[in-house]
Structure formats: C-alpha cells, structure tokens
C-alpha cells in the first residue's frame, strides 16, 4: 500500500462526529459535566463555518409568551407531525427548548431580537397556533453557531477539522461500538479513533434531490454509516420540502436555497405565473399552512403549467411595504438582490426544495441507541417530528438533544471502558474507501449526480406512487453499480484535498440513504404529512398509526411497520384545557 493508505490510531473518551448545533452543544455539556474527559470533534469542514445550523434563517420555537404553553407547543408538534412523532421525544423537545433558549442567551451570549418592553420577540411560523419563534433577524443560525464556536474554542476542546468520518467500527462480536474510521482530507491519511462513546451528529442534508437547501458537502454521512453498521432508521420516507426555495435558474447554486418561513408568516403571498394568489384553493390557512401542504400546492400549480419563467411560482411581499420587509428580512432581501430579485418591492421566483429529513436513527430521549457506545442527536435522529417538522423546531431539536447527549455521555463513560475493534471490519472499511484508487473504470461523477437528482425528484419527491418508486429503486441500483466500479482518473490520485474522491464518497452515501427513503416510501401505503402517494391518498387510521423501521442486512434493506406509542395523548384528544 502507498503512503496515502497510512493508518493513525488515537484514543479519546468521546468522539463527536459533526460540529453543528447538536455536536457543539454536546461537547460543551459533556465538558461541563466532566472537564477531565478527552473529547474530540470531527468535522468535514472548519468548526463554526459549516453545517446546517449555521444556515438557519428563521428561528427557534419555544413557549415563552403569556398565552402560550409547552402543552400547546407539544400539540402543534404532534398534530403537525400527523400523529407519527414519538411523544416522549416531542415532550422532551418542547420542555427542553425553554431551558435551552435561556442558556443560549444568558450563558452563551446570543442576542435575540426584543420587543419594546424588553421581552424576547417571537414571530409567526407556519403550522403553529401561536407566534413562538425566537430569532435574530433572519440570521439566527449564524448567531447561535458563532457563540457556540467561541465557547468550544475557549475550552480547548480538540478539533479534528477537515476530517471526514467513513465508518462506525464495532467490536468483533458486533454488540458494541469501538470507534470510528476517519480520513484526514488534508493528507489522505486514515485515522481510527478508538472511543468509549461516539455521538453521531453529522446532520441530514437531502442533497440527493434536484432542488435542495443544504450545502453540497452535506451527504447524509451519518445515516449511511448507521445503515452500514446495521442500526435501524425510522420515518425515512418523510422528506421535508421547504415550499420557498429561491429559483434563480440552473446556472447558480443559489437556486434551492431557503427563503424562510417568516416571510409567509409575516403575510407574504404565493402567486401563480399569471400573478394570481392560489393557496386559498388548497387550505384555509393559505400560505401559513404546514410545509407539506404548501409544497404540494406549489407542485400542483407547477404540474398544471401555471408557472413563472423558470418553472416555479412567485413569492410576493410588496403589499406589506418595502421598507418594513427590508427591516425585518435584511439578509434575504440582500440575497435576492444578488440574484436580480427585489424581495421587498417586487416578486421572487420560488420552488419547493428538499430541506430536512424527519427520519433518522431510532433513539431514546436520553440520546442512547440500540448499539452500545453509539449516541445520536440532531438531524441524524428520527422520531421527534414524525411526518412533518414545524419550522423553528429544527434548531430547537439540535440544541435540546445535543445538550442532553453531552450530559448522558459524560455519565455513561464514567463506568465505560475502551473496547477492541473488529480489525477485519476496520480494514474492510478502509478498503471500501480506497476502491477508486485501484482498478475500475473512469466515469463522469457529475453525470451520475444529475441522474440521482432526476431519480429522486421525479420518482421519490413531493408526490409518489408505486410505479415511480419502483423506477427509483431500479435506478438507484444502477447508480450504486456505477459508483462501485468507478475509478479515479490516473492524473487525479493525489489524496491531498482530492475533491473528486470526496464527491465519490458523498454520492455513495447519498445513494445509500436514498435507497432507505425509497424502501420506506414503498412500505407506507397511505399519505401522511410529507409523504404523499397519489395511489394511496388516504391518511389511514390515526388511532392505529405506524412508523417505518428500515434496517440494512447483508446489503439488503428490510422495512417493517411499527406501532406509534401514544404515551401522552391519543388522536382526537388534546392536552389543552378548554
């Protein structure tokens, strides 16, 4: 083997894979619980400069104001999730958000927008019965990530920056996790981190769709690693499309980026290609309906041909007053202006865009999983949101469960030991990553990516059916075969920041996660929340709701339906008084 295949070994009490809100909160809480712990954070980019939390525009849902309550937030979450959320997880979310937003302000130094009386300002987000979204203008994620990063740097927590996680490595018995295999993207050197506890917090990132909001480096790495390790995922058919992704044409990556929910919450209108408002034909809450409803309505307008020049619809804010829009949504006004649109005084073309995966690793409220030594938080986890995530519940999810994960891990490692890895599995994982350097045939990865985008958008997107899902499954098999036989060009085999190699690794993970989405979508023969099948349009009986559980065995995906446990409230009931 050449020097690029060298393997370095290190030991740390805790390895955190991912440096968004979940990963950084976990690091801070684990360190606070036990400053003697050796904690390493591995991240594909630079800490504080990448990940989905930084891209959050809208805000953070929390029940703070008079008239609101955690019970009301809970009921909005359960009903918005079409009665599929794990109710214990949802209850943990809405309770923890109150504590966590105080921590963000008072301990970490976040500055959220205020009302004239000094209380925290909370704006309207779709699908909720109360204006409870805390924010910093429309740049909330940057505010949170800047403060979190400062605190991690101040504590000297180890950072493995530009280190990509490749595989979770179990013990020889397969009953526990021994650590994870990484690659240093700067040198190509492999690194095995033996750890007592590993937190999976890589975020989701449904970039397998033609229009998507996350950055291109988000490739469902955590979900792919969990599948490969035999860990079960739930709700993988539930892919959230944000209704208003910027549509600026095919020649800019700005296409697909989010124009946040607060625009519609503030009173923005959606207009068809002729300039007519259409949402009232689809739902009485019009533009403030939940994301799944608005996305399907836009999709229906697009399929009917009532579109804007680039094939989407228009978002209009001008009737609210240009100066008011500029003041409230400064960041988005500037972003749209960069692409030639006047958000404040004109119209902006928008299209539904793949935004968030409600599905992920099955886990408990303390962030433990079925695999000893593996913990999960943030978008890598499943069950909190059910069939649909409320806007503003995403960053709350990451920070609430990130903090819980850190505290749980600190307690857990106090009595845990390092476990020996399965050396055969470790070498096999390294061999899989090495494959493009040794044999195979050259191919155009961009052409493979385009095929993946078309497959998932056309056949496993906003509206699905059996025939389309069958086509998608066959296409994904073909794409997996093409990637399996891929070889890097002879002139491109330097491992130092080899972006082509990492594109190949990204596509491998995206195809793996896409197969889980399609398999779960085939199994769910009803329409619930973000999952809509025109061959099974009925939502099914809420009282006997089931969630999907997908697991990979010997390269094949099994999917079973498991009953939702109504631990706090049943369909037709409410926790609200009166």
């Amino acid at each position: 083997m050449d020097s690029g295949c060298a393997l370095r070994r290190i030991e740390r009490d805790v390895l955190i894979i991912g440096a968004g809100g979940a990963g950084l909160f976990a690091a801070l809480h684990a360190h606070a619980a036990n400053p003697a712990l050796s904690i390493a954070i591995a991240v594909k980019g630079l800490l504080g400069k990448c990940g989905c939390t930084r891209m959050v525009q809208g805000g953070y849902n929390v029940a703070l104001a008079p008239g609101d309550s955690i019970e009301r937030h809970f009921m909005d979450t359960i009903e918005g999730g079409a009665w599929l959320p794990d109710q214990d997880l949802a209850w943990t979310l809405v309770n923890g958000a109150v504590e966590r937003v105080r921590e963000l302000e008072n301990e970490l130094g976040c500055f959220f927008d205020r009302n004239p009386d000094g209380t925290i300002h909370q704006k309207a987000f779709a699908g909720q019965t109360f204006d409870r979204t805390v924010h910093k203008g429309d740049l909330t994620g940057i505010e949170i990530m800047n403060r979190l990063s400062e605190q991690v740097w101040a504590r000297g927590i180890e950072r493995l920056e530009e280190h990509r996680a490749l595989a979770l490595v179990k013990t020889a018995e397969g009953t526990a996790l021994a650590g994870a295999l990484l690659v240093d993207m700067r040198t190509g050197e492999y690194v095995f981190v033996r750890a007592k506890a590993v937190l999976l917090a890589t975020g989701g990132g449904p970039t397998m769709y033609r229009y998507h909001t996350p950055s291109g480096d988000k490739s469902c790495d955590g979900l792919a690693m969990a599948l490969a390790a035999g860990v079960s995922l739930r709700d993988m058919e539930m892919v959230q499309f944000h209704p208003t992704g910027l549509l600026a044409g095919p020649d800019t990556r700005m296409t697909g980026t989010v124009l946040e929910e607060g625009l519609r919450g503030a009173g923005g209108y959606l207009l068809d290609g002729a300039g007519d408002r259409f949402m009232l034909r689809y739902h009485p809450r019009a533009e403030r309906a939940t994301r799944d409803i608005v996305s399907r309505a836009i999709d229906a307008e697009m399929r009917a041909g009532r579109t804007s020049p680039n094939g989407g619809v228009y978002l209009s804010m001008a009737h609210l007053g240009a100066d008011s829009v500029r003041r409230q949504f400064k960041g988005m006004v500037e972003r749209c202006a960069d692409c030639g649109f006047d958000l404040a005084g004109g119209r902006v073309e928008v299209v539904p865009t793949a935004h968030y995966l409600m599905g992920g690793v099955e886990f408990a409220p303390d962030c433990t999983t079925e695999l000893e030594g593996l913990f999960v938080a943030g978008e890598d986890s499943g069950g909190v949101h059910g069939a649909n995530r409320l806007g503003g519940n995403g960053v709350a999810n990451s920070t609430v469960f990130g903090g819980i994960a850190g505290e749980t891990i600190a307690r857990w490692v106090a009595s845990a030991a390092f476990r020996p890895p399965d050396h055969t599995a470790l070498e096999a994982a390294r061999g899989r990553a090495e494959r493009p350097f040794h044999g195979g045939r050259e191919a155009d990865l961009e052409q493979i990516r385009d095929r993946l985008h078309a497959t998932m958008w056309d056949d496993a997107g906003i509206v699905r059916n059996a025939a389309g899902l069958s086509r998608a499954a066959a296409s994904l098999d073909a794409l997996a075969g093409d990637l399996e036989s891929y070889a890097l060009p002879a002139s491109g085999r330097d491992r130092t920041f080899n972006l082509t190699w990492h594109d190949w690794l990204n596509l491998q993970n995206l195809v793996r996660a896409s197969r889980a989405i399609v398999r779960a979508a085939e199994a769910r023969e009803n329409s619930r929340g973000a999952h809509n099948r025109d061959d099974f349009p009925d939502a099914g009986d809420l009282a006997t709701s089931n969630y999907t559980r997908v697991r990979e065995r010997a390269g094949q995906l099994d999917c079973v339906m498991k009953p939702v446990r109504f631990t706090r409230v049943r369909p037709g009931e409410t926790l609200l008084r009166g």
Side-chain angles (χ1 to χ4, degrees):
M1 285 185 146
D2 60 41
S3 59
C5 299
L7 178 64
R8 181 162 58 95
R9 298 172 185 263
I10 60 176
E11 280 190 353
R12 299 293 182 268
D13 292 318
V14 182
L15 172 64
I16 296 170
I17 305 175
L24 297 192
F25 252 104
L28 292 174
H29 277 240
H31 182 272
N34 184 356
L37 289 176
S38 58
I39 303 170
I41 303 172
V43 55
K44 284 165 75 172
L46 301 176
L47 191 141
K49 300 298 183 184
C50 60
C52 290
T53 304
R54 186 173 181 83
M55 299 172 71
V56 169
Q57 300 169 7
Y60 190 115
N61 288 343
V62 55
L64 295 177
D68 200 6
S69 66
I70 57 173
E71 290 82 7
R72 190 169 181 175
H73 187 186
F74 175 80
M75 290 305 304
D76 284 349
T77 299
I78 297 301
E79 291 172 352
W83 293 91
L84 288 188
D86 180 299
Q87 295 191 2
D88 292 339
L89 294 175
W91 187 253
T92 301
L93 171 72
V94 299
N95 277 272
V98 179
E99 175 186 348
R100 197 69 80 234
V101 80
R102 299 300 189 194
E103 180 182 354
L104 282 164
E105 274 216 314
N106 301 329
E107 298 182 34
L108 298 178
C110 289
F111 288 96
F112 297 122
D113 287 1
R114 296 275 170 173
N115 295 311
D117 65 0
T119 58
I120 294 177
H121 181 263
Q122 294 178 273
K123 62 184 175 182
F125 257 33
Q128 302 189 66
T129 60
F130 202 90
D131 297 354
R132 64 167 64 93
T133 307
V134 173
H135 62 106
K136 172 68 172 176
D138 57 0
L139 301 171
T140 310
I142 290 175
E143 178 70 11
I144 291 173
M145 284 301 296
N146 285 352
R147 305 292 83 78
L148 284 172
S149 301
E150 289 168 356
Q151 296 300 323
V152 168
W153 291 329
R155 285 157 178 75
I157 294 169
E158 183 179 8
R159 308 191 305 273
L160 299 174
E161 295 179 310
E162 294 172 328
H163 278 62
R164 178 193 192 111
L166 296 171
L168 302 174
V169 180
K170 295 191 283 189
T171 60
E173 300 79 18
T175 56
L177 192 61
L181 177 66
L182 317 178
V183 63
D184 185 340
M185 299 168 69
R186 300 165 298 188
T187 63
E189 178 186 41
Y190 292 101
V191 182
F192 175 63
V193 183
R194 190 183 184 202
K196 295 177 181 177
V198 175
L199 174 67
L200 205 56
T202 70
T207 59
M208 65 281 286
Y209 288 90
R210 179 179 295 132
Y211 301 114
H212 55 264
T213 68
S215 57
D217 67 318
K218 303 301 291 182
S219 48
C220 298
D221 299 341
L223 300 181
M225 289 189 291
L227 280 168
V231 176
S232 63
L233 309 184
R234 69 172 283 170
D235 298 328
M236 282 300 291
E237 73 277 22
M238 299 301 177
V239 181
Q240 181 168 81
F241 289 83
H242 196 291
T244 51
L246 181 62
L247 185 56
D251 300 322
T252 171
R253 181 57 192 93
M254 293 302 292
T255 285
T257 57
V258 164
L259 297 180
E260 64 124 316
E261 194 112 302
L263 295 166
R264 289 180 291 115
Y269 291 160
L270 290 170
L271 311 176
D272 64 20
D276 296 324
R277 191 178 175 200
F278 60 84
M279 273 307 303
L280 284 166
R281 298 202 309 270
Y282 293 95
H283 196 274
R285 298 187 72 178
E287 286 84 1
R288 289 184 65 171
T290 53
R291 290 175 173 179
D292 56 312
I293 293 169
V294 181
S295 291
R296 284 197 297 275
I298 295 174
D299 182 71
E301 293 295 302
M302 291 166 61
R303 290 174 185 268
R306 295 186 287 268
T307 61
S308 60
N310 282 305
V313 298
Y314 291 112
L315 175 67
S316 175
M317 303 292 293
H319 59 285
L320 300 174
D323 290 342
S324 175
V325 173
R326 290 190 190 98
R327 183 174 62 254
Q328 291 184 70
F329 303 104
K330 179 176 181 290
M332 275 176 295
V333 168
E334 293 174 353
R335 179 182 303 173
C336 290
D338 288 342
C339 296
F341 293 111
D342 180 7
L343 176 64
R347 299 173 180 176
V348 178
E349 291 189 65
V350 294
V351 67
T353 180
H355 183 53
Y356 192 94
L357 293 166
M358 275 72 76
V361 175
E362 287 196 72
F363 78 124
D366 64 355
C367 298
T368 55
T369 73
E370 64 186 287
L371 181 60
E372 181 183 342
L374 178 65
F375 301 79
V376 67
E379 198 175 344
D380 277 331
S381 67
V384 179
H385 309 293
N388 189 37
R389 176 178 68 84
L390 296 180
N393 269 5
V395 69
N397 175 29
S398 294
T399 56
V400 166
F401 287 102
I404 291 171
E407 294 161 3
T408 300
I409 288 170
R411 291 193 301 269
W412 191 83
V413 299
S415 58
F418 288 104
R419 295 169 293 276
D422 181 342
H423 293 288
T424 300
L426 177 57
E427 286 304 311
R430 197 153 59 123
R432 286 192 296 274
E434 280 288 298
R435 193 177 298 122
F437 292 97
H438 308 286
R441 62 177 185 272
E442 294 183 22
D444 183 348
L445 289 182
E446 283 305 309
Q447 190 263 345
I448 292 175
R449 189 188 314 278
D450 288 344
R451 286 164 53 201
L452 175 62
H453 285 166
T455 293
M456 295 303 289
W457 183 264
D458 294 339
D459 289 330
I462 296 170
V463 178
R464 304 159 174 175
N465 54 50
L469 292 169
S470 179
R471 286 193 302 270
S475 178
L476 291 171
D477 287 345
L479 288 167
D482 290 345
L483 290 169
E484 189 76 11
S485 61
Y486 173 78
L488 286 161
S491 60
R493 299 192 177 183
D494 181 354
R495 288 175 171 80
T496 303
F497 283 119
N498 190 322
L499 298 185
T500 305
W501 180 28
H502 289 282
D503 274 347
W504 177 80
L505 290 166
N506 287 342
L507 285 166
Q508 289 264 35
N509 287 343
L510 285 170
V511 168
R512 193 169 218 147
S514 295
R515 283 172 140 173
I517 291 169
V518 170
R519 183 69 190 89
E522 289 178 317
R524 179 170 292 285
E525 294 183 338
N526 58 41
S527 293
R528 189 78 71 90
H531 173 72
N532 186 270
R533 288 189 58 163
D534 59 18
D535 52 349
F536 292 100
D538 187 71
D541 178 31
L542 295 181
T544 56
S545 294
N546 292 287
Y547 67 89
T548 57
R549 173 184 286 170
V550 174
R551 191 189 302 273
E552 188 174 307
R553 300 180 190 275
Q556 299 299 312
L557 287 173
D558 294 332
C559 185
V560 297
M561 308 298 290
K562 304 293 292 185
V564 175
R565 296 184 306 118
F566 300 119
T567 56
R568 295 181 180 272
V569 61
R570 298 189 63 80
E573 302 173 350
T574 181
L575 297 186
L576 304 181
R577 297 176 181 175

